[in-house]
Amino acid sequence: MKMKMLLAAGAAVAALVSGATTAQAKDVLAIVVKGLDNPFFEQINLGCQKWMGENADSEYECLYTGPASSADEAGEVQIVEDLLNRPDVKAIAISPSNAPAMGNLIRRVAPSIPVMTIDADLVEADRDLRATYLGTDNYEMGVLMAKHAMELKPDGGTVCLQLGNVAADNINARAAGFRDTIAGEQVDRLTGQNGWTEADGCPVFTNDQIDLANQQMQDVFTANPDLDAFILVGGWAQFGPQAYAQVTEQVKDKLDSKELIIIAGDTLPPQMDALRAGLSHAQVGQRPFEMGYRAPTVMMELIEGKTLDPIIYTGLDECTGDNVDSCLAQ
């Protein structure tokens, strides 16, 4: 009798193990972002998790990952290479921090699974390597930032752009959209076109680091007491709300009078709080939650062999002090 009980217990344990193994045996739809330390990308994760909750019976699971630090470009490339070598990964969506390096990897590996980009694209010469791009029209994002700057400062002025990684295609596209719109033509730098000139020492590059972004703002304000505009092409400094408040409170009188204007990318909750507090004048927001929510479905369509548009834009929101409570897409 004791032997039968032991055998029965063993069979039950085996069944449980087998069931657990089966439950964990889903194929993977991977989303790789620039860094897990950036709250913008956490919105992509939340979208991925919502998709998981709504598709519990799917044969696929949405895996959100990336390097611990957004400054770790090589780490992101290594994560992508590791995923491409996993047999359970059936499609991958990448937000490349260093677009040329990521393109080199994909060209070298020549993966057999669908590869798409999300949030940030590959450089133009490498876009044949991905099936589609899901995310923001980043050039248009820069255009909208420029339009707000020109409305607030019709006579122009001295401006400093704050950028991210030097090789980030999405950030460079925003800077191009801003400069081209201000100048009325394609330019690499503003040198007086329509009254706008970039300050010495600008642009500054945050390398996607929140603390560095706030320190750079402080340094630029100190070095340029007559600065007319500071443009956060991405929201890095505002992702550290306490540090951002400390930096901007020091120039609050200028912000109130619009002697100095601040325009920033993205519309995460702490950024909207900064707008309400008068610590920025306009926010041009992406829709990262939508990116994360839609990405698994797009990857499944690619696996099924469907032909998709090479670019799928997720839209932009424009927020100012006048529409701060109604500007975000629902």
Side-chain angles (χ1 to χ4, degrees):
M1 176 64 72
K2 184 179 291 187
M3 181 60 70
K4 288 183 178 180
M5 291 177 64
L6 289 172
L7 289 173
V13 170
L16 286 172
V17 171
S18 175
T21 302
T22 301
Q24 295 173 2
K26 290 189 174 187
D27 287 328
V28 171
L29 307 172
I31 299 176
V32 184
V33 298
K34 298 177 182 179
L36 303 182
D37 56 343
N38 188 323
F40 175 86
F41 293 122
E42 179 58 22
Q43 293 297 310
I44 291 180
N45 181 35
L46 293 175
C48 166
Q49 295 305 315
K50 181 182 179 183
W51 183 90
M52 287 273 284
E54 294 179 353
N55 295 272
D57 295 332
S58 173
E59 64 183 294
Y60 298 105
E61 63 177 345
C62 180
L63 171 67
Y64 168 82
T65 188
S69 169
S70 299
D72 189 3
E73 298 176 3
E76 186 191 27
V77 171
Q78 185 61 58
I79 287 170
V80 170
E81 183 167 14
D82 292 344
L83 287 169
L84 291 176
N85 286 319
R86 280 177 49 174
D88 61 332
V89 175
K90 301 305 180 184
I92 188 168
I94 309 165
S95 175
S97 180
N98 186 319
M102 193 64 72
N104 289 339
L105 168 70
I106 297 170
R107 197 173 293 280
R108 173 173 60 81
V109 174
S112 58
I113 64 170
V115 173
M116 62 177 283
T117 49
I118 182 173
D119 166 63
D121 208 352
L122 299 171
V123 297
E124 188 171 357
D126 290 334
R127 288 177 189 168
D128 61 308
L129 299 173
R130 50 84 165 152
T132 189
Y133 162 73
L134 173 68
T136 301
D137 183 339
N138 284 286
Y139 187 89
E140 178 64 16
M141 188 173 176
V143 169
L144 294 179
M145 289 181 178
K147 289 181 176 178
H148 283 283
M150 291 187 292
E151 289 174 4
L152 290 162
K153 290 282 189 180
D155 296 326
T158 303
V159 59
C160 184
L161 274 65
Q162 185 174 61
L163 310 182
N165 290 336
V166 175
D169 181 81
N170 60 332
I171 301 302
N172 293 335
R174 291 177 209 169
F178 182 89
R179 291 182 175 119
D180 294 353
T181 303
I182 291 285
E185 60 181 334
Q186 289 188 354
V187 296
D188 294 327
R189 184 175 179 82
L190 296 171
T191 56
Q193 298 91 337
N194 294 315
W196 290 89
T197 301
E198 291 187 55
D200 291 341
C202 294
V204 291
F205 294 89
T206 68
N207 206 23
D208 288 345
Q209 297 180 47
I210 295 169
D211 55 347
L212 177 59
N214 279 292
Q215 184 61 55
Q216 286 175 341
M217 285 191 73
Q218 176 68 66
D219 293 344
V220 169
F221 292 161
T222 301
N224 300 273
D226 296 325
L227 189 73
D228 295 287
F230 193 89
I231 312 299
L232 292 81
V233 176
W236 308 282
Q238 294 177 329
F239 296 157
Q242 290 184 330
Y244 180 79
Q246 289 176 352
V247 172
T248 51
E249 285 289 354
Q250 297 177 33
V251 293
K252 188 63 164 57
D253 289 346
K254 292 182 179 181
L255 297 178
D256 289 343
S257 66
K258 296 185 176 62
E259 179 184 347
L260 170 65
I261 62 169
I262 294 177
I263 297 169
D266 300 323
T267 49
L268 272 61
Q271 298 179 279
M272 300 302 286
D273 291 341
L275 181 61
R276 290 186 181 92
L279 301 181
S280 73
H281 297 89
Q283 302 281 149
V284 180
Q286 307 175 82
R287 297 172 183 168
F289 183 90
E290 181 181 347
M291 296 178 203
Y293 180 67
R294 292 177 62 180
T297 299
V298 173
M299 284 189 274
M300 288 172 62
E301 291 174 339
L302 293 174
I303 292 169
E304 293 165 3
K306 294 182 180 179
T307 300
L308 305 181
D309 291 337
I311 295 175
I312 305 171
Y313 286 137
T314 48
L316 290 162
D317 298 313
E318 296 179 73
C319 298
T320 66
D322 294 331
N323 70 353
V324 65
D325 294 319
S326 61
C327 59
L328 299 182
Q330 300 301 314

